[in-house]
Amino acid sequence: MSESSAASAADRRDLTAVQRNAVTELLRVSPVADELGRRFAAAGHELHLVGGSVRDALLGRLGNDLDFCTDAEPDETLRVLKGWAEATWETGREFGTIGAQRHGLLLEITTFRAEAYDGVSRNPVVAYGTNLLDDLRRRDFTINAMAVSLPDHRFTDPYGGVEDLAAKVIRTPGTPQQSFGDDPLRMLRAARFAAQLRFVVDPDVRAAMVSMAEDLDRITAERIRDEFTKLLCGADSVGGLRLLVDTGLADRFLPELSGLKLEIDEHAQHKDVYEHTLTVVSNAVSMEENGCDFVLRMAALMHDVGKPATKAVGPDGRVSFHHHEVVGARLTKQRMKALRYPKDVVSQVVELVGLHLRFYGYGRGEWTDSAVRRYVTDAGDLLPRLHKLTRSDCTTRNRRKAAQLAADYDALEERIARLQSEEDLARVRPDLDGNAIMELLGVPPGPIVGQAWRHLKELRLEHGPLDRDAAEAALLRWARAEGIVVDGR
């Protein structure tokens, strides 16, 4: 069999599998979908399962969120749903979308759209369309431009979406220049779908992403953030990140990532810090236990972004990046704030970046129990993620060194476990509380109590738990030294 005939046979097998997936998935949701389709038909309107729902059905991964389009406008859609839907909501009304719930399925029903863009505005201006084909034509990619009419199950695929699904390729319905000119965010969506589905981007689409990357500057930070988050949580996040860098899209909203390609690490163990970073991201993904951990992946991605600004070459020619974790934490905070990430997410990622180097040096035997306590206390609830990040950061090709680092971290985790069994490391507190401090020192609530509390906490970290008498004696010594109490108290 020739290569071309073998490829054709494989394509046919893929198409057959796609069709089987669709039948199975659509049968699962058809009781609700077909019933809804009949209600729209009785009201004189069309209803079509569309876009991502059809794509996911063909891939055998349809969830409980279903997308529909219709020629009915929102008010008419609400009339059709009245008395049938268990709940409805109108948060998407300005985009022509009405939400509903029925038998555990979440339904979004959107009026046919013919979006208009002026080439300057950051968000699409929505105008209602009049037919299914025009609605499909405006969609981003062929794999999202398919529809199944309800209740008759007529399949519409004007741009070859089924073939592209089987070939695992991302193409646009029209020219990519027109599609990306309409909404530049689609360039980032192409990279996101490549990461989520493990698809490749069509060469013409990729070329347009390169030539039009600057147009991404028209898009709001929030829209970019949402697409990037989905990309980083994709099944092939590293492939998606490479695509962002290679097309120049990363330069528009995450230039720190591209900047890593300029740096060689201090041990010359990797082609560059960029390649090391992608390896760390891949390692971190492999350590996840319950799906995507965005905080861990983002910390892995950003952990070395401080290196370009801290690069130094010593007299012996050796490259160093002293305190790059401090600079990296600051840069990470600035970048994530610019992308409008929630404060709690930003703080967690920043903390991990700032702590990721703390472990190194442990194997030299320099860590006291006090140092271990501080490591645990500083990490707090992030300790499990810090364990994973630190282990992910070991990417040396030197097997002996890699084994030694792994053994050192095993020893550290065992030591943490031992101390935790002896002390409550998760909640290190002073051995005297605020009330006891005020009573012993004879002071009212105020700054002195806070200073005393922090002093006792330092003692707790340094020496471990103290009994009551020892803690009181230590507090009095500190107070006398600070001039807070007189001798004899």
Side-chain angles (χ1 to χ4, degrees):
M1 181 182 293
S2 67
E3 288 187 9
S4 60
S5 60
S8 297
D11 289 345
R12 286 194 296 273
R13 286 195 299 272
D14 289 341
L15 281 171
T16 300
V18 164
Q19 292 162 351
R20 282 199 303 268
N21 287 336
V23 170
T24 300
E25 295 293 275
L26 293 175
L27 282 176
R28 179 175 66 82
V29 301
S30 63
V32 169
D34 290 350
E35 187 177 345
L36 184 59
R38 287 191 290 270
R39 291 180 68 88
F40 272 86
H45 294 291
E46 302 173 30
L47 184 73
H48 312 273
L49 191 68
V50 72
S53 292
V54 177
R55 178 199 71 224
D56 288 345
L58 291 166
L59 291 172
R61 44 176 273 175
L62 182 61
N64 292 327
D65 296 355
L66 305 181
D67 294 326
F68 300 88
C69 64
T70 179
D71 59 338
E73 294 193 6
D75 285 339
E76 181 61 22
T77 293
L78 284 169
R79 282 192 286 271
V80 173
L81 293 171
K82 187 175 181 180
W84 179 82
E86 296 160 359
T88 59
W89 51 93
E90 302 180 46
T91 51
R93 175 186 272 272
E94 65 176 311
F95 300 108
T97 300
I98 299 297
Q101 180 174 322
R102 174 81 173 182
H103 295 345
L105 297 177
L106 299 179
L107 321 173
E108 287 200 342
I109 305 155
T110 303
T111 305
F112 290 150
R113 279 158 47 177
E115 290 174 344
Y117 301 81
D118 61 12
V120 177
S121 64
R122 294 181 170 192
N123 292 303
V125 177
V126 178
Y128 293 143
T130 59
N131 62 80
L132 175 63
L133 289 179
D134 285 347
D135 184 89
L136 295 179
R137 185 179 300 116
R138 71 163 184 84
R139 293 179 179 266
D140 51 6
F141 305 113
T142 61
I143 59 175
N144 297 328
M146 299 176 284
V148 175
S149 301
L150 301 167
D152 59 344
H153 293 188
R154 176 170 44 86
F155 184 61
T156 303
D157 179 19
Y159 302 106
V162 171
E163 287 79 6
D164 287 344
L165 271 182
K168 298 183 178 181
V169 64
I170 296 172
R171 289 191 306 112
T172 53
T175 68
Q177 290 78 11
Q178 177 63 48
S179 181
F180 298 158
D182 283 348
D183 186 359
L185 186 68
R186 290 172 172 174
M187 294 184 285
L188 186 51
R189 283 171 63 81
R192 187 255 285 189
F193 281 120
Q196 284 185 325
L197 303 176
R198 297 185 183 274
F199 280 22
V200 298
V201 174
D202 176 81
D204 289 342
V205 173
R206 186 185 182 103
M209 292 165 69
V210 172
S211 64
M212 300 177 68
E214 290 185 4
D215 288 0
L216 195 64
D217 295 349
R218 290 162 37 196
I219 304 302
T220 61
E222 291 83 357
R223 295 180 75 205
I224 291 174
R225 173 201 64 205
D226 291 347
E227 289 297 327
F228 175 69
T229 300
K230 293 174 184 176
L231 181 153
L232 192 57
C233 279
D236 183 18
S237 54
V238 169
L241 292 169
R242 286 190 186 280
L243 187 58
L244 292 181
V245 172
D246 294 345
T247 57
L249 288 173
D251 292 335
R252 314 317 308 177
F253 70 95
L254 192 63
E256 294 84 0
L257 178 57
S258 305
L260 294 177
K261 298 188 77 169
L262 304 177
E263 304 301 333
I264 303 298
D265 80 354
E266 61 266 45
H267 305 297
Q269 293 295 316
H270 307 280
K271 181 180 179 181
D272 51 40
V273 179
Y274 169 73
E275 290 296 334
H276 162 72
T277 295
L278 295 184
T279 300
V280 174
V281 172
S282 180
N283 290 345
V285 171
S286 71
M287 294 187 183
E288 291 173 340
E289 298 164 8
N290 297 302
C292 175
D293 182 343
F294 173 78
V295 168
L296 176 62
R297 293 193 189 195
M298 191 66 178
L301 181 65
M302 302 297 284
H303 79 286
D304 273 350
V305 296
K307 282 190 171 179
T310 57
K311 180 179 179 179
V313 181
D316 59 355
R318 188 175 178 83
V319 177
S320 65
F321 302 98
H322 294 308
H323 305 300
H324 75 266
E325 74 281 10
V326 177
V327 175
R330 175 172 53 81
L331 294 174
T332 297
K333 183 176 183 178
Q334 293 173 351
R335 181 56 54 197
M336 293 188 72
K337 285 180 67 176
L339 287 171
R340 305 291 194 271
Y341 277 101
K343 289 182 179 179
D344 61 327
V345 175
V346 174
S347 64
Q348 290 178 73
V349 176
V350 168
E351 191 72 15
L352 286 171
V353 172
L355 289 172
H356 83 273
L357 280 186
R358 283 278 288 274
F359 159 71
Y360 292 95
Y362 177 78
R364 295 194 294 268
E366 299 170 355
W367 281 32
T368 62
D369 282 353
S370 172
V372 176
R373 291 188 195 98
R374 292 178 188 277
Y375 187 76
V376 174
T377 301
D378 290 348
D381 293 340
L382 293 172
L383 184 62
R385 285 187 173 118
L386 182 58
H387 288 331
K388 294 174 183 177
L389 178 61
T390 303
R391 289 184 181 276
S392 298
D393 195 24
C394 176
T395 62
T396 177
R397 297 191 185 101
N398 183 317
R399 292 184 179 181
R400 182 191 60 78
K401 184 176 180 181
Q404 185 60 56
L405 285 170
D408 288 346
Y409 209 84
D410 288 342
L412 175 58
E413 289 202 54
E414 290 170 4
R415 192 168 171 188
I416 290 172
R418 176 178 61 78
L419 286 174
Q420 284 176 326
S421 69
E422 299 170 356
E423 312 170 21
D424 189 3
L425 291 187
R427 291 185 296 274
V428 171
R429 295 288 186 274
D431 297 287
L432 300 176
D433 63 17
N435 289 328
I437 291 171
M438 289 187 287
E439 180 181 352
L440 187 64
L441 299 185
V443 297
I448 290 177
V449 180
Q451 294 168 19
W453 191 94
R454 287 188 290 274
H455 175 71
L456 289 174
K457 183 175 179 180
E458 284 297 311
L459 290 179
R460 174 73 168 75
L461 287 169
E462 188 67 30
H463 303 292
L466 301 176
D467 62 31
R468 180 79 180 203
D469 290 343
E472 290 183 352
L475 177 60
L476 288 173
R477 284 195 298 274
W478 170 83
R480 292 189 185 101
E482 296 293 318
I484 296 171
V485 295
V486 297
D487 287 339
R489 173 178 266 296

